[in-house]
Amino acid sequence: MKIRMTAITTAALCLGLAAAAVAQDNPVAKREQMMKQVGASVGALGAIAKGEKPYDAEAVKAALTTISTDMKVFPDNFPAGSEVNSAAAPAIWDNMDDFKAKSMKLASDADTLLASMPADQAGVQQAVQTLGANCGTCHQTYRLKR
Amino acid sequence: MASTWSKIAAVGVAVIGLGAVTAWALTKPEPHPESFWANAGTPDLAHGEQLFWAGGCASCHAATGAEGDALKVMSGGRALPSPFGTFHIPNISPDPNVGIGGWTLAQFGNAMTRGVGPNGEHLYPSFPYGSYVRMSPKDIGDLFAYLKTLPASSNVARPHELGFPFNIRMAVGGWKLLYFSEAPRVELASADEKIRRGQYLVEGPGHCGECHTPRNALGGFESGKWLAGGPNPEGEGKVPGITPSGPIGSWSEADIVNYLETGFTPEYDSAGGAMVEVQKNMAHLPKSDLEAIAAYLKAVPAL
């Protein structure tokens, strides 16, 4: 488990770089990288929540900031017709306003948490629950396994 | 000449008649007798509630988009798309007029485990009684008593919109003849008690195979493909396999338990599609039940 978390953190760093380098003009790659970063950030919080890693205010702040930053621009990477070769559901383009609202909701939940930083393991557990509820709500309607 | 023709015609009619009689005999609804349901005992409401979540009743019978307490209002009304047409889910709240408030335990039990409606008609297998048939009379009694504690709703669902011949309930008899069985979906040679508990939950109330097993053109499970995954029966995309050779083959049993509890995969991806509601239901179960499900998923044949 330790190894896995280190791997996730390392992966998050690499992805951050890769996202910047590779995904410039490919919206599918760009949004999938963002989702991977968001996933890795929740993973970093999850490790603290589960007690696999000690509480670390800097790590918590970094994770929440990544989620907030990514989710504010995430919906900008869905030009018409870009569901091809991706897990994005066509329903996104029928309900773009709702899709954007769901993305912003996750960003603002992260902002709220940043404003009153979770101060210990219990706080991080709470944060993971709050953030996590957003993932399923959006994936239920807007992501398809292909 | 005329008499020959009429003889032939008579024989033909007789044959057709015989065929119809045989077909009727083979495919008529077969409820259990009243006595079968007489020994359900005093209902255990807490167990009934667990079966309610394990069985995912709310995912179909609550209103579209229901959350929180609204998930316990079994008003029906959701549309369930399928390759055969659109089903409109009925009201199973305790309302005495439009719900199941006036039903006997036998009527409820025969719907749940025989696919037979209160007037003796076949029910469509989009209601997953092909899985619920594995529940005992005691389970059914507990669940029925729990459902009666939920709020009543006066909603009346629209009739189903199905194409011919699926709009004829009699046709369901043929489906039952071919596919309806309470036999175990897989034979597990050395299953301990935990795995058998998992088998009951997955093959029975949890009805996991209804989405995770591919179907043929008649809506029956393809044989030898238990939990192997396939096209999404409710629309676009596909449903992943959940046997040890599927994507979850690399997950530990603890990873599977955590997924059912929180919706997060070991990579911190989060469940999507129809699995979101299933996961929220499973999160209501005791951890020991989730561990039993994980043990069973590790024990089924890798496909």
Side-chain angles (χ1 to χ4, degrees):
Chain A
M1 212 55 187
K2 282 260 166 50
I3 295 177
R4 178 182 285 160
M5 285 325 304
T6 319
I8 286 179
T9 320
T10 318
L13 287 174
C14 299
L15 286 174
L17 298 175
V22 177
Q24 286 300 349
D25 43 39
N26 178 345
V28 174
K30 214 164 159 183
R31 69 203 189 205
E32 288 184 352
Q33 296 292 12
M34 286 184 179
M35 273 295 131
K36 286 186 177 124
Q37 285 181 336
V38 168
S41 302
V42 176
L45 296 173
I48 296 174
K50 283 189 194 160
E52 290 161 7
K53 280 205 162 177
Y55 174 82
D56 171 353
E58 279 312 306
V60 173
K61 195 169 163 195
L64 291 172
T65 309
T66 303
I67 296 172
S68 164
T69 315
D70 276 351
M71 293 316 288
K72 281 179 189 142
V73 292
F74 179 64
D76 300 344
N77 299 287
F78 290 81
S82 67
E83 74 269 24
V84 187
N85 290 327
S86 85
I92 293 175
W93 289 272
D94 299 335
N95 307 280
M96 190 48 97
D97 288 346
D98 180 58
F99 182 70
K100 283 184 179 157
K102 287 194 160 61
S103 190
M104 288 308 158
K105 164 79 168 43
L106 176 52
S108 77
D109 280 0
D111 285 341
T112 309
L113 287 162
L114 276 169
S116 61
M117 275 284 288
D120 53 15
Q121 183 183 349
V124 176
Q125 280 167 357
Q126 196 60 51
V128 170
Q129 278 203 353
T130 308
L131 298 169
N134 290 287
C135 322
T137 310
C138 187
H139 289 178
Q140 182 171 5
T141 334
Y142 297 123
R143 193 189 64 175
L144 282 179
K145 292 247 160 151
R146 289 183 197 257
Chain B
M1 204 55 188
S3 77
T4 315
W5 278 116
S6 61
K7 264 189 209 149
I8 293 175
V11 171
V13 168
V15 168
I16 291 170
L18 203 69
V21 168
T22 319
W24 168 250
L26 286 172
T27 64
K28 72 182 193 310
E30 286 179 2
H32 286 307
E34 290 284 331
S35 59
F36 182 85
W37 302 104
N39 312 321
T42 320
D44 175 346
L45 286 177
H47 186 234
E49 174 167 12
Q50 276 182 22
L51 289 165
F52 172 79
W53 295 119
C57 318
S59 303
C60 287
H61 287 278
T64 314
E67 278 183 59
D69 281 347
L71 280 172
K72 294 188 177 175
V73 185
M74 300 288 97
S75 58
R78 264 193 218 205
L80 183 69
S82 82
F84 312 107
T86 302
F87 293 94
H88 294 281
I89 312 258
N91 181 333
I92 58 158
S93 80
D95 186 281
N97 301 313
V98 296
I100 61 170
W103 290 30
T104 64
L105 176 61
Q107 285 174 317
F108 178 72
N110 283 322
M112 289 291 295
T113 66
R114 306 303 303 160
V116 178
N119 303 314
E121 75 279 22
H122 282 303
L123 295 174
Y124 289 105
S126 51
F127 166 31
Y129 57 79
S131 295
Y132 297 151
V133 59
R134 290 167 183 77
M135 294 166 76
S136 69
K138 168 97 178 76
D139 289 343
I140 296 297
D142 293 351
L143 176 59
F144 189 45
Y146 175 72
L147 287 174
K148 291 208 166 169
T149 68
L150 300 179
S153 155
S154 58
N155 181 53
V156 178
R158 294 165 54 186
H160 304 317
E161 297 160 275
L162 307 173
F164 181 83
F166 307 111
N167 53 354
I168 302 177
R169 284 191 182 269
M170 261 310 295
V172 172
W175 180 90
K176 283 185 176 171
L177 188 65
L178 291 171
Y179 303 116
F180 183 50
S181 149
E182 55 192 294
R185 301 290 189 188
V186 286
E187 291 294 348
L188 298 171
S190 57
D192 61 12
E193 202 177 315
K194 186 175 176 188
I195 294 179
R196 279 203 306 275
R197 173 75 185 157
Q199 179 164 30
Y200 163 79
L201 287 165
V202 170
E203 299 184 6
H207 67 278
C208 316
E210 304 280 345
C211 294
H212 285 282
T213 302
R215 292 171 192 272
N216 59 27
L218 293 176
F221 290 144
E222 281 182 40
S223 60
K225 297 257 177 80
W226 179 242
L227 302 181
N232 176 5
E234 293 174 18
E236 298 153 295
K238 63 178 192 194
V239 182
I242 50 172
T243 76
S245 64
I248 67 165
S250 60
W251 299 12
S252 69
E253 289 186 26
D255 289 337
I256 297 176
V257 171
N258 187 57
Y259 178 83
L260 295 172
E261 230 175 5
T262 67
F264 286 123
T265 72
E267 292 79 32
Y268 281 92
D269 190 348
S270 126
M275 193 59 200
V276 174
E277 287 186 315
V278 177
Q279 182 271 316
K280 286 185 188 160
N281 292 331
M282 299 320 282
H284 288 273
L285 296 192
K287 193 151 185 175
S288 57
D289 276 352
L290 302 184
E291 286 165 355
I293 290 175
Y296 168 79
L297 293 181
K298 287 290 176 195
V300 297
L303 295 172

